[in-house]
Amino acid sequence: MRSPDHRGSRPRSEAEVGSAAHFRPPSARRFAKTLASEGDICEGTPIVKDLRPLSALVAPLFLVAIFASPPAAASGEAALLVAQKYVELGQELFKVESFKEASANFKRAEDTLDAAKVPVPPALYRSLARCHDQMADPVQAVHYYERFLERLTPKQKKASKLKKVVKEAEDAQRRLRRLLDRTGLSFQISPEGTEVQVDDVVLGTTPLDPIRVEPGLRRIRLDAKGYETMSIELQVPAGASVPVMASLREAAPPAAPTPVVVKPVAEEPVA
């Protein structure tokens, strides 16, 4: 059986093999298989058509693409190789539940392909979404699930092998959006009429209705005339409504001015 690299072609000389004209990138199908582990799907969404394997150059090109700019003619090819290495590393990290590090490598793969203007396969966005879901970061998880679903064609969504994956992504997206809808702040602040700012945005004066905010650290500032300003930092978990309870202290009255004692100046006797 002939090697896939020589299917339908004559044997090439050493000069031809080493020439830029015969430089071949790795196959999109191989990259698809890399992304297909852990339930990721990339079949039917090739990055570049009619690509062939070039495994012998994976390691050298990985280093070249990181430490130097590849030639313009090979930029897409090098980007595909580098992205594949990042994806493989990200998948290994995901398996050992190092979700933050896995996400960082999947993001490097995305950035590498974007920089080379190589289409990003939908499965890569799903990998990023799953990482952020595990990291309790529903905002980014929803974002990447949306990109995953948007990049699939109607035909791909209906394909039997993708139906389960698409349904899981849609269910996860709905679950996370419900979680975000329940994430917010409520206010129990004295005195009434206190101005409330959240992350430098003025919401108005108390009493205030509960508001929806994104999960994470929120910075709150309370101001009322005649009272000391109060600043609060609150960590808001996803799906929680966190009460902001505060009573401002009255500002101390201004200090009475210190009296100035003026000593009389003795008049000099007139000669």
Side-chain angles (χ1 to χ4, degrees):
M1 180 181 288
R2 290 180 176 177
S3 166
D5 284 338
H6 299 86
R7 186 167 53 241
S9 63
R10 64 175 177 79
R12 293 174 292 180
S13 68
E14 290 185 8
E16 288 177 321
V17 170
S19 70
H22 289 279
F23 185 83
R24 299 282 188 179
S27 69
R29 183 169 297 277
R30 177 183 167 191
F31 190 76
K33 287 180 178 178
T34 299
L35 279 165
S37 66
E38 292 297 311
D40 282 328
I41 299 295
C42 189
E43 287 293 339
T45 57
I47 297 175
V48 181
K49 295 181 179 179
D50 302 325
L51 299 182
R52 297 184 178 184
L54 193 62
S55 58
L57 293 178
V58 168
L61 274 178
F62 182 53
L63 295 174
V64 168
I66 290 176
F67 296 110
S69 299
S75 61
E77 301 159 1
L80 189 62
L81 290 165
V82 174
Q84 178 167 311
K85 301 300 288 185
Y86 282 135
V87 167
E88 290 171 354
L89 181 56
Q91 289 173 341
E92 292 304 313
L93 290 164
F94 190 94
K95 289 176 184 177
V96 296
E97 300 185 0
S98 294
F99 302 117
K100 184 176 181 180
E101 292 77 9
S103 172
N105 279 279
F106 290 137
K107 187 69 174 70
R108 291 186 188 108
E110 179 196 5
D111 292 343
T112 299
L113 296 174
D114 278 341
K117 295 182 171 52
V118 177
V120 177
L124 191 51
Y125 292 127
R126 181 171 177 266
S127 295
L128 282 160
R130 294 170 69 214
C131 285
H132 284 282
D133 196 354
Q134 293 291 335
M135 292 158 58
D137 182 3
V139 175
Q140 286 300 309
V142 166
H143 167 71
Y144 284 117
Y145 274 127
E146 284 177 351
R147 299 195 76 177
F148 166 64
L149 293 169
E150 286 170 358
R151 293 296 180 94
L152 294 176
T153 66
K155 184 177 178 180
Q156 290 168 341
K157 290 181 180 180
K158 293 178 182 178
S160 58
K161 61 184 177 182
L162 288 178
K163 280 184 179 178
K164 182 179 178 181
V165 174
V166 170
K167 185 178 184 305
E168 287 175 354
E170 290 173 341
D171 290 346
Q173 197 176 43
R174 283 191 290 268
R175 169 178 56 81
L176 293 166
R177 281 177 172 161
R178 287 195 298 268
L179 196 67
L180 289 173
D181 286 340
R182 298 196 303 268
T183 306
L185 296 171
S186 60
F187 302 95
Q188 300 175 32
I189 297 168
S190 175
E192 286 192 5
T194 297
E195 182 184 83
V196 179
Q197 295 182 35
V198 175
D199 295 334
D200 299 323
V201 176
V202 177
L203 301 181
T205 56
T206 57
L208 288 172
D209 293 330
I211 63 165
R212 176 187 166 189
V213 296
E214 289 188 358
L217 186 66
R218 305 273 71 87
R219 294 177 174 83
I220 301 157
R221 180 184 170 95
L222 307 174
D223 282 300
K225 188 175 181 180
Y227 291 82
E228 295 180 1
T229 297
M230 181 180 290
S231 296
I232 304 170
E233 290 189 348
L234 283 178
Q235 190 69 36
V236 182
S241 179
V242 178
V244 180
M245 296 182 289
S247 294
L248 302 188
R249 292 192 302 182
E250 291 188 20
T258 304
V260 178
V261 178
V262 180
K263 293 182 179 180
V265 179
E267 293 183 2
E268 294 183 1
V270 178

